[in-house]
Every structure is written in structure tokens, then in C-alpha cells.
Amino acid sequence: MRIGYGFDVHAIAEGRALVLGGVHIPSPFGLEGHSDADVVLHAVMDALLGALALGDIGHHFPNTDDRYKDADSMELLCHVWRLVSERQYTLGNLDVMVLAEAPKIAPHIPQMRTGIAAVLQCQTDQVSLKATTMETLGFVGRKEGIAAQAVVLLQSKGEIS
Ligand SMILES: Nc1ccn([C@@H]2O[C@H](COP(=O)(O)O)[C@@H](O)[C@H]2O)c(=O)n1
Ligand SMILES: C[C@@]1(CO)OP(=O)(O)OP(=O)(O)OC[C@H]1O
């Protein structure tokens, strides 16, 4: 078994779409980024890469590379999952915490879980997503950015469960 941790933050930006966990969320603002700035999937990818000591997303998808300009992070997640899968690992479970003052994320969590579970070739109940505000404190509380943390457990296909 291997455990991995991921963290990401993106600044709030007017005039950008808000994409979190692969879901377009109606919002008067989006997030700044070279890609679609899906901070949730970025944290998930860093957790998966971290579990297998494969570096981070900046290493695999440099923000100096035009191929990743406005990239769909679900496609990046598919690539990361291939790296995990070809090393003979499956998902044990994934737990994600989204730190956002607004908008309300809870109504979109079922769709996020379904989409992420489909890519990670697992059941929806192996994928947990939760959200919290920062009670107006700090950069999240001032609505300057949204952050996400992810923890993942991978199981080697050779392991007896
Ligand atoms: N962006 C967010 C933040 C929170 N939620 C949900 O609201 C609940 C209460 O938030 P607290 O910050 O007071 O813990 C929380 O448990 C989430 O379910 C949300 O949907 N979107
Ligand atoms: C995903 C990449 C690549 O488009 O760009 P951003 O959307 O800026 O995201 P970040 O979290 O800074 O991570 C790595 C980047 O290389």
C-alpha cells in the first residue's frame, strides 16, 4: 500500500469559468491558471503522483508548455491514472477537502465523485469530497482564492486484500 498527499491553490479571477472536480459550477468568478485551474483535480493528481514518488503536476505538465494552456484537468487526471495503473496499483480510497468561501460546492459533490471514480476505475464510495469555508479568515476567507487538499491510498494489484 502507498499513501499520497496533494495540495493546490488558485487565485480567484473574474471572467473565468469555475471548474472543480471536473464539474462546471455556476459562479460569477473562476480561477486563475494556465490550465482550466481545477484546483480539486490538481490536488488529486499530486496525491496520486506523491503516492508513487513520481514528482508533481508541474513536472508532468509544465505551465510553460502551450499543450497545457486551458487544458481539461480531467484529461490530465486520465494521464496520471495511466501512470499509476501501469505500475499495477488500484485505488484504495481518496479523500478530498475543498476550502472555499463561495460558491456552495455540496450540491455538485455527487457529480464530482461519479466523474472522478470513472477515471480512477473504482466505485463512487471509494471517492470522498468535502467542502468547508474558512469562516472569513485568510485568503480563502477573503475570497481571494480556493484551495484543495487530497489524501489517497493506493493498493498494489499483487497485495492480498
Ligand atoms: N464552499 C463551500 C463551503 C462549505 N460547504 C458546505 O457547508 C457546510 C458548512 O460549512 P462550514 O465552513 O461552516 O463548515 C460544509 O459542511 C459543507 O457541506 C459547501 O457546500 N461549499
Ligand atoms: C496544470 C498546470 C499546467 O497547465 O497549470 P496551472 O493550471 O497553472 O496549475 P498549477 O496548479 O499551477 O499546476 C501545474 C501546471 O503546470
Side-chain angles (χ1 to χ4, degrees), residues 98-107 109 131-135:
V98 185
L99 288 71
E101 209 64 20
K104 273 282 178 198
I105 287 161
I109 284 179
T132 186
T133 67
M134 290 279 283
E135 305 286 353

PDB file of all heavy atoms in Angstrom, residues 98-107 109 131-135, ligand 1:
ATOM      1  N   VAL A  98     -12.114  20.569   0.096  1.00  0.00           N
ATOM      2  CA  VAL A  98     -12.103  21.813  -0.676  1.00  0.00           C
ATOM      3  C   VAL A  98     -12.301  22.974   0.285  1.00  0.00           C
ATOM      4  O   VAL A  98     -13.231  22.960   1.105  1.00  0.00           O
ATOM      5  CB  VAL A  98     -13.221  21.824  -1.739  1.00  0.00           C
ATOM      6  CG1 VAL A  98     -13.101  23.068  -2.613  1.00  0.00           C
ATOM      7  CG2 VAL A  98     -13.181  20.569  -2.584  1.00  0.00           C
ATOM      8  N   LEU A  99     -11.415  23.964   0.213  1.00  0.00           N
ATOM      9  CA  LEU A  99     -11.511  25.145   1.079  1.00  0.00           C
ATOM     10  C   LEU A  99     -11.965  26.321   0.213  1.00  0.00           C
ATOM     11  O   LEU A  99     -11.182  26.822  -0.620  1.00  0.00           O
ATOM     12  CB  LEU A  99     -10.157  25.463   1.715  1.00  0.00           C
ATOM     13  CG  LEU A  99      -9.653  24.515   2.811  1.00  0.00           C
ATOM     14  CD1 LEU A  99      -9.249  23.167   2.239  1.00  0.00           C
ATOM     15  CD2 LEU A  99      -8.468  25.114   3.533  1.00  0.00           C
ATOM     16  N   ALA A 100     -13.214  26.713   0.364  1.00  0.00           N
ATOM     17  CA  ALA A 100     -13.776  27.776  -0.478  1.00  0.00           C
ATOM     18  C   ALA A 100     -14.845  28.530   0.305  1.00  0.00           C
ATOM     19  O   ALA A 100     -15.741  27.907   0.885  1.00  0.00           O
ATOM     20  CB  ALA A 100     -14.385  27.187  -1.749  1.00  0.00           C
ATOM     21  N   GLU A 101     -14.747  29.839   0.282  1.00  0.00           N
ATOM     22  CA  GLU A 101     -15.764  30.647   0.977  1.00  0.00           C
ATOM     23  C   GLU A 101     -17.073  30.614   0.185  1.00  0.00           C
ATOM     24  O   GLU A 101     -18.150  30.667   0.760  1.00  0.00           O
ATOM     25  CB  GLU A 101     -15.241  32.084   1.132  1.00  0.00           C
ATOM     26  CG  GLU A 101     -15.777  32.820   2.345  1.00  0.00           C
ATOM     27  CD  GLU A 101     -15.347  32.176   3.673  1.00  0.00           C
ATOM     28  OE1 GLU A 101     -14.365  31.425   3.705  1.00  0.00           O
ATOM     29  OE2 GLU A 101     -16.036  32.431   4.682  1.00  0.00           O
ATOM     30  N   ALA A 102     -16.948  30.575  -1.127  1.00  0.00           N
ATOM     31  CA  ALA A 102     -18.094  30.521  -2.030  1.00  0.00           C
ATOM     32  C   ALA A 102     -17.580  30.003  -3.374  1.00  0.00           C
ATOM     33  O   ALA A 102     -16.381  30.091  -3.640  1.00  0.00           O
ATOM     34  CB  ALA A 102     -18.697  31.922  -2.193  1.00  0.00           C
ATOM     35  N   PRO A 103     -18.446  29.477  -4.223  1.00  0.00           N
ATOM     36  CA  PRO A 103     -19.863  29.191  -4.018  1.00  0.00           C
ATOM     37  C   PRO A 103     -20.054  27.908  -3.209  1.00  0.00           C
ATOM     38  O   PRO A 103     -19.084  27.236  -2.878  1.00  0.00           O
ATOM     39  CB  PRO A 103     -20.382  29.036  -5.448  1.00  0.00           C
ATOM     40  CG  PRO A 103     -19.209  28.469  -6.188  1.00  0.00           C
ATOM     41  CD  PRO A 103     -17.989  29.090  -5.566  1.00  0.00           C
ATOM     42  N   LYS A 104     -21.317  27.556  -2.989  1.00  0.00           N
ATOM     43  CA  LYS A 104     -21.645  26.288  -2.322  1.00  0.00           C
ATOM     44  C   LYS A 104     -21.266  25.130  -3.239  1.00  0.00           C
ATOM     45  O   LYS A 104     -21.671  25.081  -4.412  1.00  0.00           O
ATOM     46  CB  LYS A 104     -23.153  26.230  -2.032  1.00  0.00           C
ATOM     47  CG  LYS A 104     -23.534  26.864  -0.710  1.00  0.00           C
ATOM     48  CD  LYS A 104     -23.232  25.932   0.473  1.00  0.00           C
ATOM     49  CE  LYS A 104     -23.571  26.621   1.791  1.00  0.00           C
ATOM     50  NZ  LYS A 104     -22.922  25.970   2.941  1.00  0.00           N
ATOM     51  N   ILE A 105     -20.491  24.243  -2.716  1.00  0.00           N
ATOM     52  CA  ILE A 105     -19.973  23.137  -3.520  1.00  0.00           C
ATOM     53  C   ILE A 105     -20.752  21.847  -3.284  1.00  0.00           C
ATOM     54  O   ILE A 105     -20.859  20.997  -4.173  1.00  0.00           O
ATOM     55  CB  ILE A 105     -18.468  22.973  -3.196  1.00  0.00           C
ATOM     56  CG1 ILE A 105     -17.728  24.141  -3.852  1.00  0.00           C
ATOM     57  CG2 ILE A 105     -17.909  21.648  -3.679  1.00  0.00           C
ATOM     58  CD1 ILE A 105     -16.376  24.400  -3.290  1.00  0.00           C
ATOM     59  N   ALA A 106     -21.348  21.732  -2.103  1.00  0.00           N
ATOM     60  CA  ALA A 106     -22.030  20.484  -1.716  1.00  0.00           C
ATOM     61  C   ALA A 106     -22.997  19.949  -2.785  1.00  0.00           C
ATOM     62  O   ALA A 106     -22.995  18.743  -3.049  1.00  0.00           O
ATOM     63  CB  ALA A 106     -22.738  20.670  -0.377  1.00  0.00           C
ATOM     64  N   PRO A 107     -23.806  20.821  -3.429  1.00  0.00           N
ATOM     65  CA  PRO A 107     -24.755  20.268  -4.419  1.00  0.00           C
ATOM     66  C   PRO A 107     -24.067  19.593  -5.601  1.00  0.00           C
ATOM     67  O   PRO A 107     -24.692  18.800  -6.305  1.00  0.00           O
ATOM     68  CB  PRO A 107     -25.536  21.505  -4.896  1.00  0.00           C
ATOM     69  CG  PRO A 107     -25.302  22.561  -3.865  1.00  0.00           C
ATOM     70  CD  PRO A 107     -23.963  22.274  -3.256  1.00  0.00           C
ATOM     71  N   ILE A 109     -21.144  17.832  -5.402  1.00  0.00           N
ATOM     72  CA  ILE A 109     -20.231  16.754  -4.980  1.00  0.00           C
ATOM     73  C   ILE A 109     -20.595  15.389  -5.581  1.00  0.00           C
ATOM     74  O   ILE A 109     -19.696  14.667  -6.039  1.00  0.00           O
ATOM     75  CB  ILE A 109     -20.106  16.732  -3.438  1.00  0.00           C
ATOM     76  CG1 ILE A 109     -19.186  17.897  -3.017  1.00  0.00           C
ATOM     77  CG2 ILE A 109     -19.577  15.399  -2.940  1.00  0.00           C
ATOM     78  CD1 ILE A 109     -18.970  18.052  -1.532  1.00  0.00           C
ATOM     79  N   ALA A 131     -16.362  19.917   1.649  1.00  0.00           N
ATOM     80  CA  ALA A 131     -16.043  21.341   1.496  1.00  0.00           C
ATOM     81  C   ALA A 131     -16.210  22.061   2.822  1.00  0.00           C
ATOM     82  O   ALA A 131     -17.041  21.679   3.650  1.00  0.00           O
ATOM     83  CB  ALA A 131     -16.952  21.980   0.454  1.00  0.00           C
ATOM     84  N   THR A 132     -15.384  23.081   3.007  1.00  0.00           N
ATOM     85  CA  THR A 132     -15.533  23.937   4.178  1.00  0.00           C
ATOM     86  C   THR A 132     -15.216  25.376   3.785  1.00  0.00           C
ATOM     87  O   THR A 132     -14.445  25.606   2.840  1.00  0.00           O
ATOM     88  CB  THR A 132     -14.596  23.486   5.328  1.00  0.00           C
ATOM     89  OG1 THR A 132     -14.880  24.267   6.494  1.00  0.00           O
ATOM     90  CG2 THR A 132     -13.128  23.651   4.970  1.00  0.00           C
ATOM     91  N   THR A 133     -15.824  26.312   4.469  1.00  0.00           N
ATOM     92  CA  THR A 133     -15.394  27.713   4.354  1.00  0.00           C
ATOM     93  C   THR A 133     -14.227  27.899   5.320  1.00  0.00           C
ATOM     94  O   THR A 133     -13.891  27.005   6.091  1.00  0.00           O
ATOM     95  CB  THR A 133     -16.522  28.680   4.739  1.00  0.00           C
ATOM     96  OG1 THR A 133     -16.776  28.532   6.138  1.00  0.00           O
ATOM     97  CG2 THR A 133     -17.797  28.409   3.936  1.00  0.00           C
ATOM     98  N   MET A 134     -13.634  29.089   5.283  1.00  0.00           N
ATOM     99  CA  MET A 134     -12.579  29.411   6.258  1.00  0.00           C
ATOM    100  C   MET A 134     -13.099  30.466   7.239  1.00  0.00           C
ATOM    101  O   MET A 134     -12.307  31.198   7.831  1.00  0.00           O
ATOM    102  CB  MET A 134     -11.316  29.891   5.550  1.00  0.00           C
ATOM    103  CG  MET A 134     -10.599  28.788   4.775  1.00  0.00           C
ATOM    104  SD  MET A 134      -9.577  27.736   5.818  1.00  0.00           S
ATOM    105  CE  MET A 134      -8.184  28.814   6.066  1.00  0.00           C
ATOM    106  N   GLU A 135     -14.445  30.519   7.340  1.00  0.00           N
ATOM    107  CA  GLU A 135     -15.068  31.427   8.326  1.00  0.00           C
ATOM    108  C   GLU A 135     -14.540  32.849   8.169  1.00  0.00           C
ATOM    109  O   GLU A 135     -14.248  33.515   9.166  1.00  0.00           O
ATOM    110  CB  GLU A 135     -14.840  30.902   9.750  1.00  0.00           C
ATOM    111  CG  GLU A 135     -15.302  29.473   9.986  1.00  0.00           C
ATOM    112  CD  GLU A 135     -16.830  29.338  10.075  1.00  0.00           C
ATOM    113  OE1 GLU A 135     -17.525  30.369  10.092  1.00  0.00           O
ATOM    114  OE2 GLU A 135     -17.299  28.184  10.101  1.00  0.00           O
TER     115      GLU A 135
HETATM  116  N1  LIG B   1     -17.730  26.313  -0.401  1.00  0.00           N
HETATM  117  C1  LIG B   1     -18.429  25.541   0.465  1.00  0.00           C
HETATM  118  C2  LIG B   1     -18.196  25.546   1.839  1.00  0.00           C
HETATM  119  C3  LIG B   1     -18.981  24.779   2.644  1.00  0.00           C
HETATM  120  N2  LIG B   1     -19.959  23.999   2.102  1.00  0.00           N
HETATM  121  C4  LIG B   1     -20.834  23.192   2.954  1.00  0.00           C
HETATM  122  O1  LIG B   1     -21.315  23.979   4.023  1.00  0.00           O
HETATM  123  C5  LIG B   1     -21.079  23.334   5.257  1.00  0.00           C
HETATM  124  C6  LIG B   1     -20.739  24.330   6.325  1.00  0.00           C
HETATM  125  O2  LIG B   1     -19.517  24.980   6.042  1.00  0.00           O
HETATM  126  P1  LIG B   1     -18.509  25.373   7.233  1.00  0.00           P
HETATM  127  O3  LIG B   1     -17.422  26.162   6.620  1.00  0.00           O
HETATM  128  O4  LIG B   1     -19.328  26.154   8.190  1.00  0.00           O
HETATM  129  O5  LIG B   1     -18.012  24.085   7.801  1.00  0.00           O
HETATM  130  C7  LIG B   1     -19.978  22.348   4.989  1.00  0.00           C
HETATM  131  O6  LIG B   1     -20.064  21.252   5.837  1.00  0.00           O
HETATM  132  C8  LIG B   1     -20.202  21.980   3.551  1.00  0.00           C
HETATM  133  O7  LIG B   1     -21.076  20.907   3.449  1.00  0.00           O
HETATM  134  C9  LIG B   1     -20.148  23.995   0.749  1.00  0.00           C
HETATM  135  O8  LIG B   1     -21.015  23.290   0.230  1.00  0.00           O
HETATM  136  N3  LIG B   1     -19.385  24.774  -0.055  1.00  0.00           N
END
